[in-house]
Amino acid sequence: MYFDVVVAGGSVAGLLAAREISAKGHSVLVVEEDYEIGTPEHCGGLVSIAGLEELEVIPFRKTFDHMIESAEISAPNKNKFLINSKNQKVVEISRRELDKQIAFQAQKNGTVIRVRTSFQEITNTGVRTNEGKIDCKIFVDARGVSSLIHKDRTGIISSAQYEIYADWIHKGQVKVMFDQKKYPGFFAWVIPSSEGKGKVGIAGKGINVAETLDSILEEKGNYSTIRKIFAPIWIKGPIKNFVEGKTVIIGDAAGQAKPTTAGGIFTSGMGGVYAGQAIAKFLKTNNKSDLEDYQKRWTDRFGKEFEKQIFARKILEKLDNNTINKLFETISPEIIKDISEKDDFDFHTGSIIKLLGLKGSIKTAKVLIGGEFKKLLS
Ligand SMILES: Cc1cc2nc3c(=O)[nH]c(=O)nc-3n(C[C@H](O)[C@H](O)[C@H](O)COP(=O)(O)OP(=O)(O)OC[C@H]3O[C@@H](n4cnc5c(N)ncnc54)[C@H](O)[C@@H]3O)c2cc1C
């Protein structure tokens, strides 16, 4: 069997790459090891409308759940502030449906998709799957964080997310809770899907995520769990080389999810789009620089923001609960108004700088992260 391109991983990045390559008339096979595209859903489903537009995916009615109107951010001592996020135009979508929608786009362009088919290894002429050998010119690794686990475990932390019914979940309001003792280096979240239904999750370094999430839910009040997922997330930013010979690495497999929140529908998705376009060009010209153009485009677009997010993450990892509580006391209504009006969901380090008061208090920043703080401000 021969295809110009074989993509391992039928999720957002792999399917977008396949859509772009097959749009130019090349033959593409996507192999997905799970039994259904979009399942199991390991995602909160938060994405900006601007991001979806750039990915060229206008959500179907069944993909789109609802608009997010505000985000409540709370400190370990339960002090909180509310950001009005209407201007950011963020939606909560169903990943099960979104991925199927992209699969449909790819299929319409000529992509062939096989579920319950897993990539096993690269061969001299292509790849081996559990269903046999397939020859190809280019192999695309879109296997998500599972592809990184063998390369570098140091950037991986555990996460748990439960889908629950609970009358304390309110439509339109996301919640983010910081507590360095309970979820070191990360946070807990509540993402509503509708009134009384949503996803509650946590991630953190060196913790038992299931036990921690169970105890948060016990504190919150009555709830029923309808689904549980446990997934590793990658917080170290992009890997060094997106292209290795005839292998092109995209999406979470290339570290393209945000180092601050691990959100990657947009940034990993764009990795798929840029890679797909570069591969299509390479298949025409056979010019290696066309293939390498993918890494350049992604880095031009997201490289600087990701560097800043990695530094923002370093700051968070150095803060203890007392310092976070104190920082919350310094957040004025003017800062909240400024963030509400100007924040960009996809490029959010500007808001982090404002929240940390870094511009006004260089001294605090220096104490927190030494000389490196300049990189965050640049
Ligand atoms: C708990 C949680 C919540 C999240 N919430 C958000 C959010 O709200 N917003 C946001 O933007 N992002 C969120 N993310 C991140 C987002 O889910 C990812 O960035 C995005 O799914 C990455 O897409 P991908 O295509 O690169 O990889 P994945 O979506 O990880 O897809 C990889 C695919 O490869 C398949 N695969 C793996 N190995 C093989 C193999 N050997 N052969 C064939 N197939 C294989 C897998 O089954 C999977 O379908 C969240 C992540 C987690 C874990």
Side-chain angles (χ1 to χ4, degrees), residues 171-365:
K171 198 175 172 183
Q173 190 182 81
V174 165
K175 292 184 190 209
V176 176
M177 288 91 75
F178 288 99
D179 190 321
Q180 294 289 63
K181 283 194 184 137
K182 290 183 182 159
Y183 0 96
F186 215 83
F187 50 83
W189 63 88
V190 179
I191 301 174
S193 315
S194 57
E195 191 62 26
K197 181 185 171 194
K199 299 152 205 172
V200 180
I202 60 146
K205 281 194 169 167
I207 54 168
N208 180 325
V209 283
E211 269 178 20
T212 315
L213 187 48
D214 287 341
S215 70
I216 294 174
L217 286 166
E218 288 309 321
E219 268 175 39
K220 285 257 176 208
N222 281 345
Y223 69 96
S224 293
T225 315
I226 53 169
R227 205 167 70 91
K228 289 184 176 184
I229 58 130
F230 300 94
I233 55 177
W234 173 259
I235 50 163
K236 231 176 158 181
I239 60 169
K240 202 164 166 222
N241 297 314
F242 292 176
V243 181
E244 288 170 2
K246 295 289 172 68
T247 298
V248 179
I249 309 160
I250 65 172
D252 278 19
Q256 292 168 350
K258 294 179 204 164
T260 44
T261 62
I265 299 174
F266 174 53
T267 50
S268 283
M270 285 311 293
V273 171
Y274 292 148
Q277 291 170 355
I279 292 167
K281 201 162 174 206
F282 168 78
L283 289 170
K284 253 193 174 167
T285 62
N286 214 20
N287 189 343
K288 197 85 203 291
S289 68
D290 288 330
L291 205 55
E292 283 157 0
D293 200 40
Y294 146 53
Q295 179 149 7
K296 192 180 170 311
R297 277 183 82 193
W298 190 91
T299 309
D300 285 351
R301 186 77 207 284
F302 300 110
K304 204 146 193 228
E305 172 70 12
F306 269 51
E307 260 179 43
K308 289 183 185 182
Q309 290 193 11
I310 289 166
F311 282 106
R313 155 154 299 291
K314 278 194 182 172
I315 298 176
L316 176 65
E317 284 169 6
K318 290 190 181 181
L319 298 179
D320 60 15
N321 278 351
N322 263 342
T323 317
I324 297 182
N325 290 337
K326 277 188 196 144
L327 272 171
F328 267 63
E329 282 163 21
T330 66
I331 295 166
S332 64
E334 289 73 34
I335 294 176
I336 295 171
K337 186 168 177 276
D338 195 38
I339 291 174
S340 296
E341 282 167 9
K342 297 188 194 139
D343 189 38
D344 182 332
F345 181 74
D346 297 310
F347 295 85
H348 57 225
T349 42
S351 298
I352 294 174
I353 290 167
K354 285 175 203 157
L355 287 175
L356 290 171
L358 287 188
K359 279 215 161 110
S361 175
I362 298 296
K363 249 190 185 167
T364 328

Side-chain angles (χ1 to χ4, degrees), residues 7-15 31-34 36-47 95 99 114 117-120 141-147 159-161 189 191 199 201-202 229-233 250-254 256-258 261-269 345:
V7 180
S11 184
V12 64
L15 292 166
V31 294
E32 166 53 51
E33 74 177 0
D34 270 310
E36 183 181 339
I37 296 294
T39 307
E41 181 177 326
H42 55 269
C43 188
L46 286 185
V47 62
R95 273 298 296 273
D99 290 15
R114 299 259 180 274
T117 309
S118 66
F119 159 83
Q120 289 174 337
D141 180 357
R143 289 176 293 155
V145 177
S146 65
S147 173
S159 79
Q161 184 176 268
W189 63 88
I191 301 174
K199 299 152 205 172
I202 60 146
I229 58 130
F230 300 94
I233 55 177
I250 65 172
D252 278 19
Q256 292 168 350
K258 294 179 204 164
T261 62
I265 299 174
F266 174 53
T267 50
S268 283
F345 181 74

